[in-house]
Amino acid sequence: MKPRIALGLQGGGAYGAYGWGVIDRLLEEHIWISAVSGASAGALNGAALVSGLASGSDDGARTALTRLWRGTADRSPLRAWDWTAPAGAASGMAPWMEPWAKAWVETWVEPWVEQSLAFTRLYGSHVTPFFPAFRAMQAWREAVRASIDFEALTAPRAIPLYVSATDVLTGAARLFTGGAVTEDALMASCCLPELFSAVEIDGRRYWDGGYVANPALDPLVFGGHGATDLIVVQLTPFVTDAVGERTGDVVKRASDISFNACLMRELKTLTELQSAVRLAASPSPRLRPILDINIHLLRAPAELASGCVDKYDTRWSTLCALRDLGRATAGAWLAERGHVIGAASSLMSLDEALTEHAPRARTLRP
C-alpha cells in the first residue's frame, strides 16, 4: 500500500523558499499527502500546496508555489537590488563588462543589502510604523491573493490544512483549519511583531505562529488522517557552528533558538512517546496513532546554519537559490532514506537530531 504522508512545514521567513524547493522535489515522487500543518512561511507553503493539489494534480501545486514566491519577490522592497553576477553569454552583457559588473555586485550591492537587512533586524520596529502599508503586510497579502485559491482549501477533496498563530494576550497557540484558513489567518501566522501590526481575527490579536507551534505536529499524528509517515521539513537548523559577537549575530541566533524551541519540544515528546508505547505490553487505543506512524525529520542543511543568506532577503535570485538548495537536499534525503518511508522511522530521538550536523557551508551563490 502506498505510504500516506503528513507534512509538517516549519516557518522561517525567506527560508520558506527552501521549503518550496523541498516540496517541489517531493511532489516529483507523486507522494500521497494526507494532511499538512504549517507555521509562518510554512503556512503559506502549505496553503499553496493544498489549494494547488485541490485542482487534481501535482503540477497545480507546483504552479501555486511558484506563483507565491514569484509574487513575493515581485513585491519585495529589495527587488531593485536584485543584481546577480553575470554568467557569460547568457547574461547578454559584453564580455569586457562582465568583470566590472561582477565586482560591482560583490563590492557594493551585496554589502549594501546585507547592511540594510541587519538594520531592519535591529531597528525595524522603530521604522515600520512610518510605513502603514508595510506594517499591514499589504505586499504579502497581494502575493497570497494572487497565488492561493481559498475556496479550494475547503473543497470536498481538499487535504486537511492546519495553520498556527500565537494569541498575543494569552501566548497560546491557535490552530486554524477548514474554512477558518483565510487570508487573515495566513497573515497572522506570518506576523513578526517587530515588523508588522498584530492581525485581528474574531476580536483576538495574533502574532507569528512560530513562537508556539512551528509547526503543530499533534493534529498530524492524532487528527485521524491515517498517515503512515510524518515528514517534518525544517527551515532553521537546531545547531550552528559559531555565533559572532556582533549584535546582529546575537539577535539572529536568539531568534533561531526561540523559533526552534517548540519544534524541539514536540519532536522530543513524539519520539519518546513512540518509544514508550512500542515497549508497552498493551498500549491504550488512544495512543495507537503514535504507534503506527513513522517519524522523519528532513533537516535544514549546513548552508542555512551558516546564515549566509538572511531570512529577510526576498529577492528573486535569493529565493531561487534557496529553492534549488531545497530540491537538492530533498533529493539527497530521498536517495539516502527514502526507502524507509512507509516502513520505519528515520528519526528515533531528539538527541539524534541535535548531534547529526553537517560542516558549515560558506555560500548559496555560485
Side-chain angles (χ1 to χ4, degrees):
M1 186 176 181
K2 188 175 182 179
R4 300 181 301 279
I5 309 299
L7 277 180
L9 305 176
Q10 191 182 32
Y15 286 9
Y18 163 85
W20 161 33
V22 170
I23 297 168
D24 190 73
R25 179 63 184 86
L26 292 177
L27 287 172
E28 289 184 354
E29 301 297 314
H30 303 293
I31 60 174
W32 179 357
I33 301 175
S34 62
V36 179
S37 177
S40 197
L44 297 184
N45 280 339
L49 170 65
V50 171
S51 68
L53 287 175
S55 69
S57 71
D58 294 337
D59 286 342
R62 298 174 75 184
T63 298
L65 283 160
T66 300
R67 192 183 301 123
L68 169 67
W69 290 102
R70 177 80 251 193
T72 298
D74 287 345
R75 296 164 176 84
S76 171
L78 296 172
R79 63 187 179 275
W81 295 94
D82 195 4
W83 295 29
T84 54
S91 68
M93 183 179 294
W96 66 269
M97 294 184 65
E98 289 182 14
W100 175 87
K102 184 176 181 180
W104 168 261
V105 170
E106 294 177 351
T107 305
W108 297 100
V109 176
E110 292 304 321
W112 186 89
V113 171
E114 181 181 350
Q115 290 301 314
S116 297
L117 293 173
F119 179 88
T120 301
R121 187 180 300 280
L122 292 173
Y123 305 110
S125 59
H126 302 289
V127 175
T128 57
F130 296 100
F131 300 90
F134 182 87
R135 190 78 173 154
M137 308 173 75
Q138 192 59 44
W140 221 340
R141 285 181 179 272
E142 291 173 2
V144 166
R145 288 182 203 135
S147 58
I148 296 173
D149 181 353
F150 285 93
E151 290 186 5
L153 296 180
T154 56
R157 65 183 300 166
I159 294 167
L161 171 66
Y162 300 90
V163 169
S164 64
T166 304
D167 188 302
V168 174
L169 296 184
T170 67
R174 175 172 175 181
L175 291 185
F176 299 90
T177 191
V181 181
T182 61
E183 177 186 312
D184 279 343
L186 291 179
M187 292 303 100
S189 188
C190 297
C191 182
L192 289 170
E194 62 267 29
L195 296 180
F196 308 120
S197 298
V199 178
E200 185 171 326
I201 302 173
D202 301 329
R204 307 291 298 185
R205 294 187 302 152
Y206 295 95
W207 283 339
D208 197 295
Y211 290 113
V212 289
N214 195 17
L217 302 182
D218 187 79
L220 298 181
V221 177
F222 297 102
H225 305 301
T228 60
D229 294 79
L230 167 64
I231 299 179
V232 180
V233 179
Q234 184 186 36
L235 303 189
T236 301
F238 290 140
V239 181
T240 189
D241 292 317
V243 178
E245 295 296 329
R246 294 184 303 176
T247 302
D249 296 333
V250 173
V251 169
K252 178 187 178 301
R253 183 57 185 157
S255 175
D256 289 350
I257 291 172
S258 172
F259 277 83
N260 262 332
C262 48
L263 178 58
M264 292 175 70
R265 286 194 300 270
E266 287 216 57
L267 287 176
K268 180 179 177 64
T269 299
L270 288 177
T271 53
E272 290 186 353
L273 180 61
Q274 184 175 76
S275 179
V277 170
R278 287 178 173 174
L279 291 174
S282 55
S284 166
R286 292 181 298 175
L287 297 178
R288 189 75 198 182
I290 191 66
L291 184 64
D292 293 339
I293 201 167
N294 302 307
I295 302 173
H296 313 279
L297 176 65
L298 210 162
R299 295 170 179 80
E303 287 86 344
L304 300 186
S306 69
C308 57
V309 172
D310 197 289
K311 289 184 178 181
Y312 289 177
D313 189 349
T314 51
R315 293 176 295 170
W316 181 239
S317 58
T318 298
L319 299 181
C320 287
L322 288 165
R323 176 205 59 198
D324 293 346
L325 176 64
R327 283 185 52 81
T329 303
W333 185 83
L334 287 168
E336 179 184 356
R337 304 193 178 189
H339 65 281
V340 304
I341 296 176
S345 293
S346 62
L347 180 71
M348 306 305 295
S349 71
L350 180 62
D351 288 342
E352 178 187 337
L354 295 176
T355 54
E356 280 196 21
H357 178 58
R360 175 183 242 173
R362 296 182 61 84
T363 182
L364 277 176
R365 302 184 184 281

